[in-house]
Amino acid sequence: MARKKLDPEIRAERARQSKKIARKKYYSKTSYLYNRHAWTEEEIKMVMEHTIPDSELSEKIGRSIKAIQEKRRRLKQAEAEKQEA
């Protein structure tokens, strides 16, 4: 039996939804495990070195994966802005 071809817009929407579900599942693994607390210099150093996967670092420092990635992004952005000035 031949499969019916889907409209490219429908295929693209399904792909977006699938990616959204996968992303939510990945980040939800650690999002509720840890309470908020101030970042230490040692944690910041580990985040910026990026020598181990974020999932392992999350367990080690008690931060969610999303928090680690967002902190790294903000630090790199601040560093780039500092160099531009």
Side-chain angles (χ1 to χ4, degrees):
M1 180 179 242
R3 292 175 71 172
K4 184 179 174 184
K5 287 196 170 196
L6 290 176
D7 181 35
E9 290 179 20
I10 294 173
R11 264 197 347 239
E13 180 59 29
R14 285 187 180 175
R16 278 192 293 277
Q17 290 297 321
S18 179
K19 189 174 181 177
K20 184 178 179 181
I21 290 167
R23 188 180 315 114
K24 188 173 184 180
K25 184 177 178 182
Y26 176 74
Y27 286 124
S28 69
K29 290 178 184 178
T30 60
S31 64
Y32 62 91
L33 294 177
Y34 310 109
N35 293 325
R36 293 180 137 212
H37 55 282
W39 286 87
T40 65
E41 289 299 320
E42 184 177 334
E43 289 174 336
I44 291 172
K45 182 180 175 189
M46 293 171 77
V47 166
M48 293 308 289
E49 286 176 351
H50 204 217
T51 55
I52 61 175
D54 290 343
S55 55
E56 290 178 27
L57 184 58
S58 172
E59 293 174 11
K60 192 171 185 175
I61 66 174
R63 304 268 182 188
S64 71
I65 295 169
K66 185 69 173 173
I68 291 168
Q69 292 174 345
E70 185 64 20
K71 185 65 170 181
R72 186 180 299 118
R73 184 191 68 77
R74 288 182 180 179
L75 289 169
K76 285 181 179 181
Q77 185 179 26
E79 191 174 296
E81 289 174 1
K82 192 177 186 182
Q83 288 178 355
E84 286 178 6

